[in-house]
Amino acid sequence: MAPTQFPRHLKPIEPQGQELLQQERANASFDIKHLTEKIYGKPYLDTKKRILSVLANDPILSDKSHRYYTGRNIRFKKAMAAAKRMAELIKEHQWTPEDVNIADLLFDEAGPFRLHRSMFIPTIEGQATEEQKRLFLEPAQRYEIIGCYAQTELGHGSNVRGLETTATYDNNSQSFIFHSPTLTASKWWIGGLGKTATHAVVMARLITNGKDHGPHPFIVQLRDLVSHEPLPGITVGDIGPKFGFGTVDNGFLMFDQYRVPHVALLARFSQVDKATGEYIKPPNDKLSYGTMVFVRANIVMESRYVLARAATVAVRYSAIRSQGSDAANPKKIAGTDGVTKVVETPVLDYMMQQYRLFPILAQAYACHFTGEAMHRMYYENQERMANGDFSYLADLHASSSGLKSLTTTMAVAAIEECRRACGGHGYLLSSGLGQFYQDYLPKATWEGDNYLLTQQTTRYLLKTFRSVRAGKKYDRNFSSQYMVDYLAQPKAQCPVKEASDFTNPETILTIFKYRVAFMVEQAVHGLDVEKRTWNDMLVEIYRISRAHCQLIMVSNFFQGVFSADNQNKVMGVALGDVALLYALSTLEQEVADVLTSGYVTPAQALLLKQQVIATLKKVRPNAVGLVDAFDFPDYLMNSALGESQGKVYERLTEMAEREPLNHTSVVDGYEDYYRPLIHSGKQNWELDSNGVAHLRGYLDKAGLPAKL
Amino acid sequence: MAPTQFPRHLKPIEPQGQELLQQERANASFDIKHLTEKIYGKPYLDTKKRILSVLANDPILSDKSHRYYTGRNIRFKKAMAAAKRMAELIKEHQWTPEDVNIADLLFDEAGPFRLHRSMFIPTIEGQATEEQKRLFLEPAQRYEIIGCYAQTELGHGSNVRGLETTATYDNNSQSFIFHSPTLTASKWWIGGLGKTATHAVVMARLITNGKDHGPHPFIVQLRDLVSHEPLPGITVGDIGPKFGFGTVDNGFLMFDQYRVPHVALLARFSQVDKATGEYIKPPNDKLSYGTMVFVRANIVMESRYVLARAATVAVRYSAIRSQGSDAANPKKIAGTDGVTKVVETPVLDYMMQQYRLFPILAQAYACHFTGEAMHRMYYENQERMANGDFSYLADLHASSSGLKSLTTTMAVAAIEECRRACGGHGYLLSSGLGQFYQDYLPKATWEGDNYLLTQQTTRYLLKTFRSVRAGKKYDRNFSSQYMVDYLAQPKAQCPVKEASDFTNPETILTIFKYRVAFMVEQAVHGLDVEKRTWNDMLVEIYRISRAHCQLIMVSNFFQGVFSADNQNKVMGVALGDVALLYALSTLEQEVADVLTSGYVTPAQALLLKQQVIATLKKVRPNAVGLVDAFDFPDYLMNSALGESQGKVYERLTEMAEREPLNHTSVVDGYEDYYRPLIHSGKQNWELDSNGVAHLRGYLDKAGLPAKL
């Protein structure tokens, strides 16, 4: 009944993964470390190193060994322990919010204090009065109260105006009465609310003197600080098992005529007069749109990590995993006997694999350059707004909505595509891609549903187009400029004559610009001339946002790598191929749009396909180097397939040994469920000389099945 | 510390889900029960009813309440219990293999005996001699031995010729010596092998008298029948946690010079002379390709279920879930006070939702008609082959490879698309879509990787095209016919003039045919004239198979619904719209191909988009009826969102109450991990008159936050 172990003396078949990865790294045309520094900058890398060393040496946070093996009960308890430990380390090392972000990234597991840090504290900082800050902020920063952010309800998600929870001001008692009138009014999905939070920011319809002022934020205490029991009038709990995120106690919350003091209404902007209940309106708030741009820039930057991490696993594994043989280009190695022999071909040499994986790698770099551009534009816009210039804001806000949608949709698809590209073994949790997918997935729904968001983007583009065409006033920016160009050149034609013309960045950018402008023109025609409803146009509206954001990403990528100071360097060349791959693979995928517009001809579309294949081949020798440059430590990846040294099969077998079912050679439950069936055939057994039972007739005169 | 409960007196906000579903059902233009009978036939429905009643009343198999809530340890043990119980019911009710399939479908959880039934027993039936059948078959049918099918290895999947495990015949002892020479030679992924199987069919390289004859099947005993302990020379265990399928013990298996008697080689086709070790070759075996067609037809039929089940959840939920308001078409209900009021719009009324969901519904029906056609053709082909006519076989086999790839790829995508279309709540396991996705996913990889398989399809099409064009001999069938037509009409043009022309089935079919033929011609040109390698063409090869199989599906669907006896009936009209939707939404998605071929013009592509939207609107009133017709019982679906009576929010809250974290109001771990942090702020507390602690300053003179 000893635990199961693989034979320790056996190695995988030749060639070894380690050697294959070394060859790949040697083949890269650029200095991988140099590219890593270009992506992150030296200070970030130093900080990451410092924090990684703290985590990797911490008795609690270094241990991820249970993650793939246990149920939610154990995982949640360990997440509580980790949350406490992380809070201690933050204090001990005086980590800044940026440091904490890096620590969270490396630890790679959302925990019960997640929303406390990312929403509860920032909401107090942003929306509380000075008095309220004194009351709540410092205890929150010391984790003496733990908060969450309770907005969505069981029946109400993206449409905030539909929220049902009410907070009715009672002038007599000078307090708010919170109430949930229906089942669908229950707060729902709130991270950290279920079992953890003592307090919540609650969005509720503020009612004063009989008038409904719509949703407003309150700080509400939920649990007794002594006992952690929910207070009377509060029903609170966990919403139950989810596809991922088992380590967060997403919760529900219902109020039954629950009284809360006047100080609870976060009153920096809207206020209620304590004595009269008179409502004081907030000033108009354009500034908060600026903040949303910053949040979305961070989401784009996170998409970059997600894409790159998924690609790291799949590209490294594909450089090692070998199968079949490419007849035109067989893989050969020198055997230990000095004789060269043909071995199976690494699947990364198959064109289909390159076609599936390299565009994902390119998307990661594309997100990097666009995330950087968004950060730059955010600061520029903040400066302008401080000077009363709001001319950047609308465009920036509209584009950032669409970019959040586009990049998170890409990232979600990429994890799953990479997982499948790992073949059967991608389905093992030890691939490192399964739980990663499950945990990242909600990003496509929260912070704005990826479909709904695009309506904001397209609404802005349609408005701009109408203004430009009518010669009315419009903001001069990237978006309006391509519309001006489009309207100036009706019936333009793509100038491509041969496949290699698709390496000209200007040519490519012009195609992407023409595409969006044409689609916008069509949609304006549909709405304004054909009088189709907004609802009937939703599919096109989604596509327009997508097209606009793809254009932005191509533009930022090209600017990042084809500018004068990059163009002639070796690394610039390598990244140039990646930029072209991003643009061309995106264009191929969306080629129906440009064919439909008539700007690109069928013959040109065929040339495009050829150029995509040619670009994949150029990227091939740099593939492992390009993923390595993202510098994900094995501690983060927790992946047998993507392990940095290429010991794929060794890790897979190690991780199988850790499976709890392997702790005994005969499984718990055997006596009850298998033995009765198997032993009912006892009369047909015969025993060998070792007392082992076989079916009668299986043994023959030669003796036994047995170890020689 | 009582378990958490929602208030029992509260209902969801108006209108209630039940009423909404009733309205939807009343709106259907056809008799739902009638369509159900048309899909399944009366006998199948009777059998299903009979078996459902057995399962739903069984003390063990009726209970699915643990599925979303527990870790693998508990789930596997319960799966063992269920496996035993299912084996008992099969004996007790003398269920046929078809009955067992229905029971498996309804129970909806793969278990440890799965491969025993689906692979171990059929392999014995197909490949054993009469002597071997006597020895193994009956004990297997009585579950006195439990088997699995051990082919793939840690380092070797689809390429069977790469297997490393050897079975070397030892003439002296008249036995085979099984051996795993490397770590990558370990059998891996084998369902039921880890902790359950006593025996395995093992594929190993047969070596006799120093000669390697390649992989052959053996029956090998792995465990002592008395103790269930692995036999000496065998290392066996579970491969560890997976993305889904936690209820199956996929296993690994290594041999260390393990001796097995002569009778182990399944010898119906290949044999080894017991005395001399002489190898006797198998006869040429074209017949087994026929069986593969049957297996794949069943996979297509299963894809139908998967698509329909995912659509059932998402369509029903979308008819209930309401959000925002469509300004052009606001949803109104009569309030209890008799006054009509505007309520939020069910998301199914939004065009984007229809665009995401209805094509999936259409794909389900498309798979139904193609699965039926494949079954018909299988029988027709078996008859022909029995008469020595092999002219159908190549086409049928090639198409069935591509259809397996296409339909499982569609089905996998559909579950996830439906899950996301359910918004946030799709992420709850109680949606019924999360585990469903995880468990179905491997279908895209096993029984032929979905990319690899398409090479078979396209290879056949290219060969046929070359023969047709060169005027050589070719099989007359559907595939060769559309190539003949294509070559007869160079430069043909799609005749569509207005959007409604896209309702003509012949017009649509001709577009699909032209598309494949053009792509095949291009590929043949690339390979034969431009001398591009097969590897360089893999992307096009994949696309050609896909295009060919989409054509087959459109053709079968049209034949099924536009034939004379359906055309004029109400139900035929409803299904006709669905058939058009399948064809047009597929065409829109792939429109780049037909634009590139020049057969369809940009203006026609714009008309196609319009017609897709028009067709979605036609399907809208029938949507709930069309999913209902698939008749999935709630027992099967185990879904709060897709529940047949529309009590979405009631079920969601019930299922949340069952979450183990809600069994106590203060979470286990609180003392260790939260209390120390929270209580460190004790000096800032003040107690209210009930002894509840708050932050000092939160309470004001008005008194307490407390229940009124």
Side-chain angles (χ1 to χ4, degrees), chain B residues 28-78:
Chain B
S29 69
F30 58 92
D31 179 335
I32 298 172
K33 280 213 158 52
H34 186 178
L35 180 52
T36 303
E37 279 186 23
K38 192 180 148 71
I39 295 174
Y40 297 106
K42 192 92 174 50
Y44 179 94
L45 290 169
D46 290 343
T47 308
K48 189 169 93 171
K49 203 170 162 189
R50 174 166 53 81
I51 289 169
L52 177 60
S53 124
V54 173
L55 296 178
N57 292 301
D58 185 81
I60 291 167
L61 300 181
S62 64
D63 182 20
K64 298 182 174 182
S65 66
H66 61 286
R67 288 200 182 165
Y68 303 146
Y69 301 90
T70 57
R72 191 187 180 197
N73 48 351
I74 293 173
R75 288 205 68 195
F76 187 71
K77 201 162 171 185
K78 286 196 175 266

Side-chain angles (χ1 to χ4, degrees), chain B residues 300 366-367 370 374 395-407 410 453-454 456-458 461 478-479 482 509 512 515-516 541-557 582 586 590:
Chain B
V300 171
C367 286
T370 283
M374 286 172 81
D395 189 56
L396 199 52
H397 181 253
S399 297
S400 73
S401 302
L403 284 166
K404 183 269 170 185
S405 170
L406 173 64
T407 60
M410 279 190 327
L453 268 183
T454 58
Q456 299 177 12
T457 314
T458 301
L461 294 173
F478 182 78
S479 308
Y482 69 72
L509 264 177
F512 274 94
R515 171 185 173 219
V516 195
I541 285 161
Y542 175 74
R543 286 182 176 144
I544 288 169
S545 168
R546 188 177 161 88
H548 172 72
C549 294
Q550 286 169 335
L551 162 60
I552 290 177
M553 296 205 27
V554 170
S555 170
N556 289 328
F557 204 160
Y582 174 72
T586 303
E590 311 286 359

Side-chain angles (χ1 to χ4, degrees), chain B residues 23-32 35 315 348 358 361 365 570-578 615-629:
Chain B
Q23 285 168 21
E24 293 284 348
R25 283 165 182 151
N27 286 345
S29 69
F30 58 92
D31 179 335
I32 298 172
L35 180 52
V315 168
L348 199 59
F358 295 170
L361 180 52
Y365 281 94
V570 174
M571 197 172 64
V573 173
L575 280 188
D577 290 336
V578 178
T615 312
L616 291 171
K617 288 184 179 179
K618 281 195 180 170
V619 171
R620 170 67 188 87
N622 286 327
V624 169
L626 286 165
V627 297
D628 276 2

